[in-house]
Amino acid sequence: MAVYFDHRVEAPDSSGAAVLISWHSSVCVLAVGSVNASTGGCVDLYLINVFCKICLPSLLQWHPTKALLAVGWETGETMLLSHPSGEHTPLPNNTHTACITVLEWSSNGNRLVTGDQAGVMAVWRVDARGKLQGSPLIKHDYSNPLTCCIFRPPPPAEDVAMLARAAVSGDESALDMFNWKKSNKGGFALGSQEGLAFYISTADGSVYSVDEQVRSVPLLSVESAVQKMWYSKRRAVLAVVTDSLLLSHFSLGPEGIAQEISKVKLSGRGGQHADIVWTENGLLITASGEQHIRLWDVELDDHYALTLDESLGFEKGELLNCVSFCTSKQVLAAGTSRGRVALWHMVTVSDQKGDTKIHWKLQTPAEVEGNVSQLQWGSSSHLLAVCSSSCVVILSEHVMCSHYSQQMAAVQLTPTQLSLANFNTNTHITFHTDTHIRAVQVTKDMVTVWNGKYITVYEPSGQTLHSTGSFQCESPALAVHEENIYTVEPNRVQIRTPQGTVKQLLVFSEAEGNPTLLSVCGSYLAVGTDTCHVRVFDLTCREAKAMGVMKNLSELIPDLGALRSVKCNASGNQLSILITQVNGRPDNKVYFYDIELDTLSYFNFFIGRPESSLAQSEDSQRCLCLCWCGLTGTEIKINRRSLRKIEDVLVVTFFVTQEHGLLLQDSQPKPATLLSLLALDTPYYYYICKGGDQVVSTPSAAPQVPSSPQMVVRRALRDFVGLESCEKQTRDAMLNFSFYLTIGDMDEAFKAIKLIKSEAVWENMARMCVKSHRLDVARVCLGNMGNARAARALRDAEKEPEVEAQVAVLATQLGMLEDAERLYKSCGRFDLLNKFYQAAGQWQQAVETAETHDRIPLRTTYYSYAKHLEAMGDKNLALVYFEKSDTHRFEVPRMLMEDNLSLEIYINKMKDEDLYKWWGHYLESQSDMEAALHYYDLARDYLSQVRVHCYLGNIQKASEIANETGNRAASYHVARQYEGQDEISQSVHFYTRAQAYNNAIRLCKENNLDEQLMNLALLSNPEDMMDTAMYYEEKGTHMDRAVMLYHKAGHVSKALELAFATEQFGALQLIAEDLNENSDPALLARCSDFFIKHAQYQKAVELLVAAKKYHEALQLCLDQSLTITEDLAESLTVPKDSSHLSEAGRKELLEKIADCCMRQGNYHLATKKYTQAGNKIKAMRALLKSGDTEKIVFFAGVSRQKEIYVMAANYLQSLDWRNDAEIMKNIIGFYTKGRAIDLLAGFYEACAEVEIDDYQNYEKAYGALTEACKCLTKAKGRSGDEADSKLLILTQRFGLVKRFIQARRMHEEDPVEAVRVCESLLEEKDLNPAVRVGDVYGFLVEHYCHHGNFQQAWTKIEELRSTRPNINLSLYVSQTSLEALQNAAGVRLVYRETNTHVAEDDEEVEEDENINH
């Protein structure tokens, strides 16, 4: 809130009437141009008369940085006036000869453009001292009056100061900018950052562009004189407004070419008197002497108007002459023809979609004398210069004073007017002072007012106040406690009497600073200094006594610039503090300093800034602190549960205690009807009403008006609603209750208020139960509230499994709809959330929830919403949701029943068969048969068509429809019609098409249509088949049909009985095919006997098996030599745990089956059955007979029986194991697994013989004999003497083989010894079984032939022949040696020409070295 103090400019008598005003942009200096009929024109700088001339001043333009004013006169003269020296420098006389119409400085003030009404333009250079440098840079004559000039903003350049600060702080990119070696751009340009190009316009609508070299070129042209130009730097667009209010936009290319973008005619009266203002964001504001101001948003292409409000003090027909916009304050000022200044505050509001809208808030006007002709905001945004026909007034903005203490409240209405309210007596008065009010302090017995220089003390006297004292004091801070007034001066606080006498001084050292902030709460004074020191003084004694020590908050708060507010609590042990940061911006935190513990805590509002003040309760022992937080359309988090609210202003209440620190107690939006917070005094908030919103000054004081509107109202705290007038004990109990609720201690909170009978208190506690989820406490609260409905709803909600859902029901009953919605969402109960939305009438949210989260009740939601819309009368939208719910086929006709035309249109539009059918029924009920038939045809409702045609007597057409469509219902209806007309054949036909076979059969029986009866019975159900069979049986004709029908109907026994009785063997055979194990055993036996009798043994066997007579079936197979197939064998196999045969009988049956399979040569099937019977030996024997080696090996592997292993190995020895290493490996493995060691040894001997006989490979034979010896050694203890003798013989053979191998190996090194060993071997008697004699002789012959001793070789051959006459020498001696021997002896040897068989065993048998394992 603010008021405006009016300061009238007291110009010298010679100045006359003011016509021009101009503020300096940075220095607080106002230039006023005036005219006097006797003395001429004059220019004053604020109160200094600087220069006077006979002519009138036409333009005033301040230098952008220096206190240098350019003044243009009607005669064409131009001069520069310097402030405060008053020195003036005229421009050369011959430059301009007509009235000056253009004065414009460049952005840095280095150049000045002047232009006159004759069309002459000159550009001047001004040095750093503000002195002109000789003649103009250019002087150009445009031959038309010049109207407007603007400089083009310079292009963006590097901010050297900012880069330097960044470089010092360590920013590498900023450092690189100063290092041209590292910078990619070669550093930055330090040249001029001033834009020297400008645009100038003439009265004929031409606009020229003048570049930095002051070369002028035509740019564009419009229809009439240019009144205002504006350049958008962001869009590179030049906007031009003519005196006829034609707005044109031109885009400016890099080559200086202007292209028109748009052109629009603005509303309003054009002409020279229109005042046009451009704002930085592209808002064009125009005042043209009308009753409203017109605004055009160039960026959004939007326009609107602002008007005056008579309820705020404006008069009807008041015209708006001039405007001025303050960018920093976002305030628009407009001067009126009745001497008033209208002020609009611009507020930017964001909606839920994120779009921003601008709202203009009109405030109470300021009043001056005369017709306001010019307005201008000053360099200080709180100053507004107003030029009227009678005076020049400077309006100074001042924050409106207000104060509350001891049930007394004072609010400033105008600079000299106060509104006082006494809440003890419930009275209020309006009081006027003789001076401006800059500060006010009240107590119950005193009102203290300060005007900046004097303090005046007033005391109440009935409905008025009278002054009791006044004294001079320039203290910037003021506080009052009882009979003491506290003021400040450098380094001390003065305690004065109401008459101004200093009673005590509270001295502060130079380091502690000068006191600037004073605040009294209860009996304690809080003091803040300009060096950010704080201290609290106890005022309970006769003299003020300091508490604790002086605290420097700069040590605790970083970036602390200055203190904005320091307030203490009623106990004097806590301070609440607002600060300004070093950068001058308000901090977004509120700090709390505990004096006793010397600790600091704070609450951070994240986004947004505290706008106004802090207030603390005056009578609470616990510190209850209230924070007034203003936001600018932004979002703020106010608790740890992320409860997010978007409000303009929030009132936030805290508890501050030493035990629990800072606690957020409550937050709520400021009431919309109230302006701002004044104080907190339990149990009330005190607010200032909007009736005093920015009421501005009046020139003179008015008489006192006691019956003024109430300016301060109070609102109970949340927990004190209904207990506003309670006594102190109850108030303390409620404070304890609020505190315990805040810390979440529900039990202590309950104890604090258990004796309080206020329903509002219990409701508050129930509301807290929603936040704490304490449903047990909530039940007690609801009981004390007497809210039976809520208690019932809470009890019903206990069936919900989620606690949040139960709490949501409680929140709903208490009206906490937002909390209920949040709780339903948090627990994921979107079904309950849907019902909640429906109950709350939020149908769009209900539909959205059903569509996105819980689609099960989606159609129900659509239907409920449609019913709601129908009840609300919105039938068009109800149609849409009835369709979405898929209930439109019934609901829409019901809804539109009274509007047949709309209903028919809807049905034709929907093209729905159900709707067509319904409408056909309706038309039929109205006897409109032709239309009904049409809609029945569209609906494809053939039954209704047939029914109507039959009703109309057109049965032939009905028959055609039934035949063409095949509709069963239609066919049935036609059949009934024909039956009624005794047309039996047609009736039977349509009954058949309707599949009503029982009716057709009935007609056939009644009319002896036996030929059709059989086919109809077969098409019908079993009951009809039985009935027809009985019909045939009773008649005694067509017995075969009766048998077939009994069979088809499932009565097999009856069919068989009838077939046997009538000897229908063909039918009997067909029936027998359907017999199975579920049939009657006696019936099966009877059928099997029938098939045996007729030599159909295979079928008889199947029936015996079905009858569970397995032995008879098997015996029949044996007797009749029937081949037992696998399927038959499986059917003969009795399942395990069968009740028909014991386990022993089952195995016996399986063995009999297997024996039968053996006799038939089906060895695999026999093997399977022997295995199922558990006789694996017989199974193996059967498998051996099959000769399937692969299955034999597999069966032996899975059987794991010694006998089977031996049998498998013996079988494998009968195969070609010599050429198949896998078979040999299996033989060795099976003998080993079967523990047949002696058989394994014999196999190894056989292997050795094969190696010697077939391959002469004594080495492998030696290895096989070695394994054989190992096996016999293991079997020695098992077989006794027989094994010993075998081992002895084998050992001898083993030794002979070993000697022969050694002889062959040593032949290369010691041939003589090798020959000797061979000779000794020939002398052995039992050599031949172990080593073949031919091999020994062959070795000797080879030896002798190799050494050329053919005689000796021949001798050996003769010896061999003598021992083995028929021996084949080629098997023992190589062909080469034999040929050499023949050639040497000259004798041809006779030997058999047999091919030597050489077997190369590529795969050696791997010997099992771990046979014992």
Side-chain angles (χ1 to χ4, degrees), residues 26-53:
S26 58
V27 182
C28 191
V29 179
L30 174 67
V32 179
S34 58
V35 59
N36 190 303
S38 58
T39 61
C42 179
V43 176
D44 300 299
L45 299 185
Y46 197 42
L47 296 179
I48 302 175
N49 184 272
V50 177
F51 189 79
C52 295
K53 291 181 67 67

Side-chain angles (χ1 to χ4, degrees), residues 53 102 170 522 580 586 637 657 770 792 848 994 1106 1109 1179 1266 1351 1382:
K53 291 181 67 67
V102 170
T580 301
K637 286 186 180 179
T657 64
V770 173
R792 172 63 183 273
E848 182 181 352
K1109 295 184 177 182
T1266 302
Q1351 184 63 37
Q1382 289 180 133

Side-chain angles (χ1 to χ4, degrees), residues 109-170:
N110 293 335
R111 291 187 182 181
L112 172 65
V113 178
T114 60
D116 59 23
Q117 201 165 7
V120 177
M121 182 267 295
V123 181
W124 309 85
R125 186 189 300 274
V126 181
D127 61 14
R129 296 174 299 170
K131 302 294 184 182
L132 285 176
Q133 295 185 352
S135 58
L137 296 176
I138 186 176
K139 182 177 180 182
H140 193 282
D141 188 358
Y142 291 99
S143 302
N144 278 296
L146 301 178
T147 59
C148 184
C149 175
I150 60 169
F151 274 85
R152 180 168 181 167
E158 304 290 347
D159 191 335
V160 180
M162 185 179 297
L163 284 174
R165 286 194 295 268
V168 171
S169 63

Side-chain angles (χ1 to χ4, degrees), residues 1-5 396-402 412 437-439:
M1 294 182 300
V3 294
Y4 286 91
F5 293 167
S396 175
E397 183 184 22
H398 173 67
V399 177
M400 190 174 69
C401 301
S402 60
Q412 184 179 9
I437 303 172
R438 295 188 178 272

Side-chain angles (χ1 to χ4, degrees), residues 1331-1405:
V1331 180
R1332 292 190 304 180
V1333 176
D1335 289 335
V1336 179
Y1337 277 108
F1339 176 78
L1340 292 175
V1341 171
E1342 292 284 348
H1343 168 73
Y1344 288 129
C1345 288
H1346 180 69
H1347 289 82
N1349 192 351
F1350 296 104
Q1351 184 63 37
Q1352 191 64 30
W1354 180 262
T1355 302
K1356 294 301 179 183
I1357 287 177
E1358 289 299 327
E1359 290 180 4
L1360 177 59
R1361 283 182 171 180
S1362 62
T1363 56
R1364 300 284 190 276
N1366 297 324
I1367 195 170
N1368 187 356
L1369 293 176
S1370 62
L1371 294 176
Y1372 306 104
V1373 183
S1374 65
Q1375 187 68 25
T1376 303
S1377 298
L1378 289 176
E1379 291 178 357
L1381 184 58
Q1382 289 180 133
N1383 293 334
V1387 179
R1388 181 165 184 81
L1389 296 172
V1390 180
Y1391 54 88
R1392 298 177 183 176
E1393 294 292 339
T1394 58
N1395 294 328
T1396 305
H1397 174 68
V1398 179
E1400 297 179 1
D1401 191 3
D1402 294 331
E1403 297 183 5
E1404 297 181 6
V1405 178

Side-chain angles (χ1 to χ4, degrees), residues 439-442 446-450 455-458 478 480 485:
V440 62
Q441 290 282 306
V442 296
M446 185 168 57
V447 177
T448 306
V449 176
W450 177 67
I455 292 177
T456 305
V457 181
Y458 299 89
L478 177 66
V480 177
I485 300 176

Side-chain angles (χ1 to χ4, degrees), residues 106-108 151-155 192-198 212:
S106 63
S107 58
N108 281 357
F151 274 85
R152 180 168 181 167
S192 173
Q193 298 181 13
E194 180 180 10
L196 300 180
F198 61 90
E212 287 83 350

